[in-house]
Amino acid sequence: MSVCQSCGACCATFRVDFHPVELAGGAFAWGAGVPLEMTVPVTANIVRMAGTDAAAPRCVALAGEIGQQVSCTIYDSRPSPCREFDTEHAACNRARQRCGLAPL
Ligand code: SF4
Ligand code: SF4
């Protein structure tokens, strides 16, 4: 199991915004695209993963328990910000700290 599969902190910390072309049926969808019903509209050019701007953020697509075992239920279709984020990113440890996890 990768460190991310026992973490999930970034999916429960940051807003996840992307262009609607990555939605299911969109011109630049990854895989099957992000299901529209998992998003909220922000502007004409931005949609947001539902739950990621809540007071206690948690992406609606995340399954499992933070810091234990998690998975993205739309992994093959996840949007660009999720594809670009990994443990090399400085914000990784910020997210982990926010969720009470030790830095990597
Ligand atoms: S916060 Fe870092 S370690 Fe945790 S899931 Fe995100 S990239 Fe992986
Ligand atoms: S779409 Fe998947 S990888 Fe992206 S924030 Fe949500 S659960 Fe995490």
Side-chain angles (χ1 to χ4, degrees):
M1 189 164 69
S2 80
V3 64
C4 293
Q5 289 172 300
S6 59
C7 178
C10 49
C11 308
T13 298
F14 303 116
R15 281 194 297 248
V16 178
D17 291 356
F18 57 98
H19 196 281
V21 291
E22 296 187 22
L23 290 169
F28 291 91
W30 301 92
V34 179
L36 177 65
E37 60 271 21
M38 285 189 167
T39 68
V40 291
V42 180
T43 70
N45 293 316
I46 300 175
V47 290
R48 180 171 292 163
M49 290 306 299
T52 64
D53 62 357
R58 181 180 167 123
C59 179
V60 69
L62 188 69
E65 189 177 342
I66 306 293
Q68 299 293 322
Q69 187 172 356
V70 295
S71 62
C72 174
T73 58
I74 58 164
Y75 189 78
D76 290 341
S77 306
R78 70 198 190 286
S80 305
C82 309
R83 293 172 181 275
E84 289 159 9
F85 196 90
D86 60 20
T87 55
E88 300 300 311
H89 203 293
C92 166
N93 274 336
R94 288 211 302 276
R96 287 180 60 87
Q97 182 177 31
R98 191 180 174 282
C99 292
L101 302 173
L104 298 178

